[in-house]
Amino acid sequence: MKPDWNLIYPLSEFYEQLGLSLPSVARVEGRDIPAPYRNLLVHEHDMTPTLEDAYRGSIQLRVLQYQLRDHVVSRQVALLVEGSEKPVAFGAIKIDLEHFPPRARRLVLERKQPLGTILRTQAVEHTSRPNAFVRVTSDAVINGALQLSGAFQLFGRRNVILDSEQRTLAQVVEILPPSNGISQSEKDREKR
């Protein structure tokens, strides 16, 4: 069976550029994602504040790969809780700079803050629209980014971020590591 490159787009572009095979990936229904992943993935919020709530700390950006082509930023990233070297998310994002205000555009190009932080601090009106949830078997690329060894069944989502005029600001795939260190209880998140 041929892998579905679109299921983990834009991460699939990085695999393609490196000539690598995709990891084993399958679409899953949001309701079938086990806790605590379900609470971190199945919602229409930005991932950055969701992770900040769950890990009770500011989220920092580590850019693993970066490209800028025709006003579109493509980057492969890991997100970390401030003061920790252990990633709490891995993914890839394509950001269309044309639809950002100038200050937010500059911040994206600086590569110092997660997009969710920039959207919040620059008051960029937007909505998140997850359009797929996935189960991924970790491979060398994912393990390297998340500092794992061995094969893990991980969960993630593909999300589109739209501005107030429904133009695409970004397309992102977000994959979570095995759940450790999440300080917010299941009941607290269900109340949100």
Side-chain angles (χ1 to χ4, degrees), residues 28-157:
V28 295
E29 294 298 318
R31 67 180 175 276
D32 296 332
I33 296 176
Y37 304 105
R38 181 176 47 249
N39 296 314
L40 295 171
L41 294 168
V42 185
H43 54 77
E44 292 187 347
H45 307 289
D46 294 334
M47 187 56 70
T48 303
T50 300
L51 291 171
E52 287 174 340
D53 287 348
Y55 288 94
R56 299 182 190 231
S58 177
I59 297 296
Q60 305 297 304
L61 177 70
R62 177 181 292 156
V63 177
L64 306 171
Q65 291 193 41
Y66 176 87
Q67 297 172 356
L68 173 61
R69 196 175 299 140
D70 299 325
H71 305 287
V72 176
V73 169
S74 297
R75 61 189 190 195
Q76 194 180 106
V77 302
L79 299 178
L80 300 89
V81 178
E82 186 173 29
S84 170
E85 288 299 310
K86 191 75 175 158
V88 295
F90 163 69
I93 188 166
K94 277 186 97 91
I95 304 167
D96 188 338
L97 295 174
E98 288 189 283
H99 304 309
F100 280 80
R103 172 102 173 106
R105 186 178 307 133
R106 280 193 303 278
L107 291 171
V108 169
L109 292 170
E110 285 178 5
R111 298 183 255 171
K112 293 180 181 175
Q113 299 175 39
L115 181 61
T117 300
I118 294 168
L119 293 171
R120 182 182 67 236
T121 62
Q122 300 305 302
V124 176
E125 209 174 307
H126 67 283
T127 56
S128 284
R129 299 263 169 79
N131 56 20
F133 299 101
V134 296
R135 183 180 60 244
V136 180
T137 302
S138 66
D139 65 359
V141 172
I142 295 170
N143 283 348
L146 291 174
Q147 300 174 5
L148 302 173
S149 60
F152 290 88
Q153 290 296 306
L154 305 176
F155 294 91
R157 72 178 187 172

Side-chain angles (χ1 to χ4, degrees), residues 154-167:
L154 305 176
F155 294 91
R157 72 178 187 172
R158 192 180 63 206
N159 187 25
V160 177
I161 301 170
L162 304 169
D163 70 7
S164 59
E165 296 176 37
Q166 301 304 296
R167 297 176 300 189

Side-chain angles (χ1 to χ4, degrees), residues 3-23 25 76 90-94 141 158 173 175:
D4 183 352
W5 287 84
N6 290 322
L7 204 48
I8 58 170
Y9 177 84
L11 182 57
S12 56
E13 283 191 345
F14 288 97
Y15 278 83
E16 189 173 29
Q17 289 165 6
L18 295 171
L20 299 174
S21 297
L22 284 183
V25 58
Q76 194 180 106
F90 163 69
I93 188 166
K94 277 186 97 91
V141 172
R158 192 180 63 206
V173 64
I175 299 170

